[in-house]
């Protein structure tokens, strides 16, 4: 379920996704329980939202994985161009940039998984690292933990394609870091 508001003065939409069942929120985690979409103008948010809905739809196991992966290419490219255009632009704050990077990572990861393409998985890993860097403060601890868990899955997927001990060790490390954040947050939730 999507909900949120519009800042009419800035023309920015702030949406949240709330799962209707445990673990169903974008990012596949229980915490944060609501996924905050990047705060963007409607035209910029549309391809991002399309990707989020595509990721949620992929949970029903598409019959034609290669067609599903191909369908992600154009929206991913649109969002990647949007992100590149704003990398040097101060209009985006660190949270918005991190959220866009996280969306790119999730969907590039999915595309790489569907196509068994290690190049795409490596791009997803870089995007996850960018999101983790953008979510540096304590106020983003749960977002960072979610991204670390997803990063670990990507690293594991990379190692599944071509066994790589370093990728496995990095995956374990990312899981541990994410778990430590969740454990610390459990006392304050």
């Amino acid at each position: 379920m999507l909900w949120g508001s519009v800042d009419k003065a800035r023309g920015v939409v702030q949406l949240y996704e709330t799962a209707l069942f445990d673990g169903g929120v974008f990012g596949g985690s229980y915490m944060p329980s609501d996924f905050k979409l990047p705060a963007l103008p409607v035209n910029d948010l549309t391809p991002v939202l399309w990707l989020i809905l595509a990721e949620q739809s992929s949970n029903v196991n598409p019959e034609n994985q290669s067609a599903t992966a191909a369908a992600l290419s154009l929206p991913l490219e649109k969002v990647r161009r949007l992100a590149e255009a704003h990398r040097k632009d101060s209009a985006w704050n660190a949270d918005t940039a991190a959220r866009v990077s996280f969306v790119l990572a999730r969907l590039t990861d999915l595309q790489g998984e569907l196509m068994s393409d290690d190049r795409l998985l490596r791009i997803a890993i870089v995007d996850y690292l960018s999101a983790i860097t953008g979510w540096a403060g304590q106020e983003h601890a749960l977002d960072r933990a979610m991204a670390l868990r997803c990063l670990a899955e990507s690293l594991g997927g990379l190692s599944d394609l071509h066994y790589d001990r370093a990728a496995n060790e990095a995956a374990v490390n990312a899981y541990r870091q994410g778990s430590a954040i969740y454990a610390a947050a459990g006392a304050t939730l």
Side-chain angles (χ1 to χ4, degrees), residues 77-93:
E77 189 54 40
K78 283 182 183 178
V79 175
R80 206 163 282 289
R81 279 194 309 263
L82 175 70
E84 188 57 39
H86 288 282
R87 276 201 211 291
K88 300 169 188 127
D89 181 334
S90 63
W92 283 13
N93 63 26

Side-chain angles (χ1 to χ4, degrees), residues 34-97:
D34 297 324
F35 179 75
K36 179 182 170 188
L37 279 70
L40 297 169
V42 172
N43 288 342
D44 292 345
L45 185 60
T46 301
V48 173
L49 187 55
W50 191 97
L51 288 173
I52 289 171
L53 295 173
E55 193 266 349
Q56 295 292 21
S57 299
S58 74
N59 292 330
V60 296
N61 292 328
E63 287 184 28
N64 188 338
Q65 292 187 351
S66 61
T68 301
L72 294 172
S73 293
L74 182 59
L76 272 168
E77 189 54 40
K78 283 182 183 178
V79 175
R80 206 163 282 289
R81 279 194 309 263
L82 175 70
E84 188 57 39
H86 288 282
R87 276 201 211 291
K88 300 169 188 127
D89 181 334
S90 63
W92 283 13
N93 63 26
D95 182 57
T96 297

Side-chain angles (χ1 to χ4, degrees), residues 1-4 14-20 35 37 49 52-53:
M1 174 174 66
L2 295 171
W3 57 277
Q14 182 57 75
L15 291 178
Y16 296 83
E17 181 210 13
T18 299
L20 298 177
F35 179 75
L37 279 70
L49 187 55
I52 289 171
L53 295 173

Side-chain angles (χ1 to χ4, degrees), residues 19-188:
L20 298 177
F21 55 91
D22 285 342
V25 73
F26 183 76
S29 65
Y30 298 98
M31 295 187 294
S33 59
D34 297 324
F35 179 75
K36 179 182 170 188
L37 279 70
L40 297 169
V42 172
N43 288 342
D44 292 345
L45 185 60
T46 301
V48 173
L49 187 55
W50 191 97
L51 288 173
I52 289 171
L53 295 173
E55 193 266 349
Q56 295 292 21
S57 299
S58 74
N59 292 330
V60 296
N61 292 328
E63 287 184 28
N64 188 338
Q65 292 187 351
S66 61
T68 301
L72 294 172
S73 293
L74 182 59
L76 272 168
E77 189 54 40
K78 283 182 183 178
V79 175
R80 206 163 282 289
R81 279 194 309 263
L82 175 70
E84 188 57 39
H86 288 282
R87 276 201 211 291
K88 300 169 188 127
D89 181 334
S90 63
W92 283 13
N93 63 26
D95 182 57
T96 297
R99 290 182 188 286
V100 170
S101 292
F102 183 75
V103 170
L104 284 168
R106 286 291 288 175
L107 275 296
T108 303
D109 188 2
L110 174 62
Q111 190 179 42
E113 180 183 318
L114 292 172
M115 296 174 70
S116 297
D117 185 334
D118 65 331
R119 182 186 66 83
L120 291 171
L121 292 174
R122 291 175 195 283
I123 292 169
I125 289 166
V126 170
D127 289 334
Y128 283 130
L129 291 171
S130 179
I132 290 164
T133 300
W135 285 326
Q138 184 58 32
E139 70 276 15
H140 296 293
L142 293 177
D143 296 311
R144 198 168 50 256
M146 174 182 61
L148 283 162
R149 185 192 53 77
C150 293
L151 171 64
E153 290 174 2
S154 257
L155 288 162
L158 185 63
S159 189
D160 286 347
L161 288 177
H162 310 288
Y163 178 74
D164 183 339
R165 182 181 172 105
N168 280 341
E169 289 172 357
V172 168
N173 188 37
Y175 273 127
R176 284 184 180 147
Q177 288 178 36
S179 294
I181 293 169
Y182 281 134
T188 61

